[in-house]
Amino acid sequence: MAQPTLDIAEITRRLTEASAMHDGVRYVRASVACKTLGLADSFRWSWERRGLIQPLRLRCPRSRAASRGVVVAWPLDQVIDAYAAGRPRAYTAKEIEFIQEKTGVLPLDAIAERLGRSAASVRDKQGQLGLTRRNAQGLLTTGEAARLCGRTRAAVNDWCLRMGLRYERLGSGQREKLIDPADLAVFLKARPRVFGRLTPKAQQRVRAFRTSYARQPREAA
């Protein structure tokens, strides 16, 4: 990824070296431009959608670099103009530390507001850092909980929908149920009949699991 300290002259030099002429216009491959500029893929679609870039799509033999048999190229001068006009502000070490601490604790919009940045920018940075609310809090999917307990995903869904195992979803458009490990530990401890239906090996795993998460479940948000 390009370093945030690179100036426009250095950016222009690198992109020019990676470009090629086509019908009298110098083009650079879109994926190469994004990598050189250190931009997330979302900028690729954003720039095209906003009309900042008029892409050229060329058919080519299918390969790992062009799985659909199409290469997307951008006019070099448009890339430089779009980058100069909306050059992203580099994240400071303090901002990155804040994102790492608050992901999974504060909503995305709240993190963005505290940092004075857009939610899309913060989401891109979380992706670069490998952060999601799920892995920050150690939440389990129903499939992961099912494997732990030696049951089917349908059985865990039944625990959630009929037997009161707490779960949450990360957003209004998300269908996946996510379970706090502490909530699962409390649920299994309070229901010996459910625990008794597990295989001996699963019971052994769950006993160790309950010891690791021997605390009360989280308070409702």
Side-chain angles (χ1 to χ4, degrees):
M1 186 174 68
Q3 297 299 315
T5 55
L6 293 179
D7 57 21
I8 296 298
E10 178 63 14
I11 286 291
T12 302
R13 183 188 69 79
R14 293 191 180 192
L15 290 176
T16 301
E17 289 179 353
S19 66
M21 295 295 293
H22 178 79
D23 289 344
V25 178
R26 188 167 289 279
Y27 286 87
V28 61
R29 191 164 176 162
S31 58
V32 173
C34 288
K35 183 177 181 180
T36 302
L37 298 174
L39 300 178
D41 284 342
S42 59
F43 277 89
R44 174 173 177 170
W45 312 118
S46 173
W47 281 359
E48 292 183 10
R49 188 169 57 250
R50 291 158 56 195
L52 299 176
I53 299 288
Q54 282 73 51
L56 176 68
R57 289 176 169 80
L58 301 172
R59 294 200 172 276
C60 66
R62 291 178 180 269
S63 66
R64 291 182 62 184
S67 60
R68 297 184 179 181
V70 175
V71 169
V72 180
W74 287 346
L76 177 64
D77 59 342
Q78 294 180 10
V79 175
I80 295 172
D81 288 346
Y83 181 74
R87 192 177 183 185
R89 177 164 52 94
Y91 279 82
T92 65
K94 189 173 182 179
E95 287 178 319
I96 291 175
E97 182 180 0
F98 181 82
I99 291 173
Q100 290 171 328
E101 289 179 353
K102 299 304 181 182
T103 295
V105 178
L106 294 178
L108 174 64
D109 290 343
I111 296 175
E113 183 177 357
R114 292 278 292 274
L115 295 177
R117 294 179 179 270
S118 69
S121 174
V122 173
R123 187 184 299 109
D124 285 340
K125 177 54 66 175
Q126 288 174 327
Q128 293 170 15
L129 296 171
L131 294 173
T132 65
R133 184 180 173 193
R134 180 192 156 202
N135 62 35
Q137 292 184 335
L139 301 177
L140 301 172
T141 65
T142 52
E144 290 168 340
R147 286 192 293 273
L148 172 71
C149 298
R151 299 300 301 273
T152 64
R153 185 190 292 263
V156 175
N157 274 314
D158 190 59
W159 294 352
C160 294
L161 299 177
R162 292 203 312 111
M163 302 182 67
L165 174 57
R166 291 180 56 178
Y167 67 90
E168 60 180 286
R169 293 187 170 97
L170 296 188
S172 58
Q174 299 295 318
R175 299 184 61 183
E176 180 69 78
K177 301 180 186 68
L178 298 176
I179 302 163
D180 188 299
D183 290 334
L184 179 59
V186 171
F187 173 85
L188 292 171
K189 185 176 182 180
R191 291 166 176 80
R193 291 183 61 184
V194 173
F195 180 77
R197 296 192 188 105
L198 307 186
T199 65
K201 185 176 290 187
Q203 289 182 0
Q204 186 177 1
R205 286 198 303 267
V206 168
R207 286 193 186 97
F209 173 80
R210 288 196 315 213
T211 301
S212 300
Y213 290 94
R215 65 175 175 81
Q216 291 298 313
R218 293 170 298 116
E219 294 295 326

